[in-house]
Amino acid sequence: MRTLDDLDVKGRRVLVRADLNVPLDGETITDDGRIRASVPTIKTLVDRGAQVVVCAHLGRPKGKVDQKYSLKPVAVRLGQLLGQDVAFAADVVGESARSTVESLQEGQVALLENLRFEPGEESKDDTVRGEFARKLAELAELYVGDGFGAVHRKHASVYDVPKLLPHAAGGLVVAEVEVLRKLTESPERPYVVVLGGAKVSDKLGVIANLLTKVDRLLIGGGMAYTFLKAQGHEVGRSLLQSDQLDQVRGFLNEAAQRGVDLVLPVDVLAAVTFASDAEHDVVDATAIPADREGLDIGPKTRELFASKLADARTVFWNGPMGVFEFDAFSGGTRAVAEALVASDAFTVVGGGDSAAAVRRLELPEDGFSHISTGGGASLEYLEGKALPGLAALED
Ligand code: 3PG
Ligand code: MG
């Protein structure tokens, strides 16, 4: 993959595909991690005298303009972090975008409006996507792919534009890929993966692949209840994907055959309802009352998971252990995060909710070897899938 050092950017207009998909509460950015992670590449281009045109998506507006998903607040935050103004274009490839990029001087930065306001960005029709990609490419002379969190998407800005312009990978993409390569090629053992989050259906591919690679697989969060049910336990009103029970039984069998230590919760916090102040008790994972739902792993499980992590040499963690947004049910996620911080293993937090949890629970970010910006992207990489955005950069 070519890097920034392979591009001569001085005095040239460079389109940077970043991942600035941050959580918003109204117009307030509640976690600016992805914006911060995008700054170094943009700063490098600024320092080298490029005219920097940043493009990105926010949320899933599905091809329609919806001000709720405007990148305007992101332009303001990016400007603060860069310490310079970021011009904001009110459209993606229209009049505003064209005049905004034309007025850029060397070292100046502009941000285009949300790519996903344009139906061409995500279109499955190669011609429609290609047409939009051509308009985007016309805004610049060079392309830098730095939106790691979106490299698993076959979208115009990720997959098609690099075919139209001389291109390179930005520093964030290079760093993320280096970490993932380390996890897949020769992880030091024991290699332990911790998976959580609501749905097992989102992680079928990655579980299947990890069972051939890891020494231990610890499962918590909402998806654990489908595993407990597959073992024949009642899970009350906990999250359950009944249509995945056969798959999950298959995973349990395969783990046993391969000698992978697949570790499930032994106790849970069982609540009377899904609420931050819900009345709850610690119960055995094999005895969840019919009218309760599990919202976090219990204290014995936290200890068990910590002990399974204690001698690890490599750890990948994706997905919270419980409803960490509610303080009362954040203890399991905190316990896993703390076990990683305490460990001197190579520890990787895989994007999305787990990265948000690390910041929300105010854990030291430097206590981890790497906190990824890409949830879905890192899972698909570990699944062994070809990522369209990386393939396009390698060409
Ligand atoms: C993410 O938030 O995982 C990335 O920004 C990609 O967003 P998407 O899942 O909506 O494609
Ligand atoms: Mg550590």
Side-chain angles (χ1 to χ4, degrees):
M1 240 170 359
R2 278 176 299 275
T3 68
L4 292 184
D5 292 340
D6 300 310
L7 290 183
D8 182 10
V9 301
K10 186 166 169 59
R12 303 183 78 189
R13 218 184 280 152
V14 182
L15 182 70
V16 180
R17 190 355 170 151
D19 180 9
L20 304 176
N21 188 24
V22 290
L24 285 179
D25 180 6
E27 290 187 7
T28 306
I29 296 162
T30 53
D31 177 10
D32 68 358
R34 280 180 166 159
I35 310 179
R36 284 188 284 126
S38 302
V39 163
T41 291
I42 298 171
K43 188 91 183 69
T44 299
L45 293 167
V46 163
D47 291 344
R48 294 183 184 174
Q51 301 160 31
V52 187
V53 180
V54 183
C55 66
H57 75 276
L58 184 79
R60 293 176 176 170
K62 306 212 163 99
K64 291 202 185 69
V65 175
D66 180 345
Q67 289 308 319
K68 194 165 84 205
Y69 297 107
S70 173
L71 277 169
K72 186 109 199 252
V74 173
V76 175
R77 184 74 190 120
L78 180 60
Q80 289 165 349
L81 292 166
L82 284 168
Q84 70 183 78
D85 275 352
V86 170
F88 183 67
D91 56 29
V92 190
V93 289
E95 208 36 62
S96 175
R98 277 194 299 272
S99 62
T100 303
V101 307
E102 268 156 29
S103 65
L104 286 178
Q105 307 288 316
E106 284 187 15
Q108 292 187 334
V109 180
L111 174 64
L112 305 178
E113 185 52 289
N114 192 341
L115 289 161
R116 293 187 184 173
F117 284 180
E118 290 284 342
E121 168 69 356
E122 296 176 81
S123 176
K124 301 251 184 299
D125 182 331
D126 290 353
T127 317
V128 176
R129 234 184 31 251
E131 184 59 20
F132 172 62
R134 198 181 50 71
K135 289 187 196 157
L136 257 183
E138 278 171 4
L139 297 174
E141 299 158 87
L142 302 169
Y143 174 91
V144 170
D146 208 32
F148 176 73
V151 291
H152 58 316
R153 303 292 181 212
K154 192 178 173 184
H155 292 168
S157 65
V158 175
Y159 178 74
D160 301 275
V161 180
K163 299 189 187 313
L164 302 173
L165 294 173
H167 53 266
L172 178 61
V173 161
V174 171
E176 294 271 14
V177 169
E178 195 177 301
V179 165
L180 289 167
R181 210 172 264 157
K182 211 164 153 180
L183 288 180
T184 40
E185 278 168 14
S186 50
E188 247 191 274
R189 296 181 182 279
Y191 176 19
V192 185
V193 168
V194 189
L195 292 179
K199 289 187 178 168
V200 65
S201 56
D202 291 343
K203 306 215 162 83
L204 298 175
V206 78
I207 294 173
N209 201 3
L210 286 172
L211 285 174
T212 69
K213 312 260 188 256
V214 302
D215 301 298
R216 294 175 203 140
L217 181 57
L218 319 188
I219 299 213
M223 62 190 269
Y225 302 101
T226 302
F227 279 82
L228 291 168
K229 180 81 179 181
Q231 285 188 326
H233 307 303
E234 287 313 317
V235 297
R237 298 194 357 260
S238 307
L239 273 180
L240 172 65
Q241 286 187 287
S242 309
D243 57 337
Q244 303 296 334
L245 287 169
D246 284 344
Q247 271 279 4
V248 165
R249 276 186 209 106
F251 290 149
L252 291 166
N253 287 336
E254 195 186 339
Q257 271 165 22
R258 289 183 176 274
V260 171
D261 190 9
L262 196 155
V263 189
L264 296 175
V266 292
D267 60 352
V268 307
L269 300 193
V272 296
T273 179
F274 185 90
S276 59
D277 58 354
E279 193 188 316
H280 59 274
D281 298 292
V282 176
V283 302
D284 277 353
T286 55
I288 301 175
D291 58 348
R292 297 281 184 112
E293 58 186 307
L295 295 186
D296 196 7
I297 56 173
K300 280 192 212 139
T301 307
R302 296 173 199 178
E303 267 184 47
L304 174 65
F305 281 14
S307 75
K308 298 283 180 183
L309 288 162
D311 66 340
R313 296 303 309 149
T314 304
V315 182
F316 175 78
W317 169 37
N318 179 285
M321 297 294 104
V323 189
F324 73 93
E325 297 88 344
F326 297 157
D327 287 343
F329 304 105
S330 64
T333 302
R334 176 181 291 284
V336 164
E338 283 175 349
L340 264 63
V341 171
S343 158
D344 56 10
F346 180 63
T347 52
V348 179
V349 182
D353 284 343
S354 4
V358 163
R359 291 188 279 262
R360 185 189 149 90
L361 301 176
E362 294 178 0
L363 291 147
E365 289 186 44
D366 61 5
F368 305 86
S369 307
H370 182 73
I371 301 179
S372 176
T373 53
S378 46
L379 288 174
E380 288 198 17
Y381 189 104
L382 293 186
E383 188 180 335
K385 279 196 179 167
L387 306 185
L390 294 182
L393 290 174
E394 268 151 16
D395 275 349

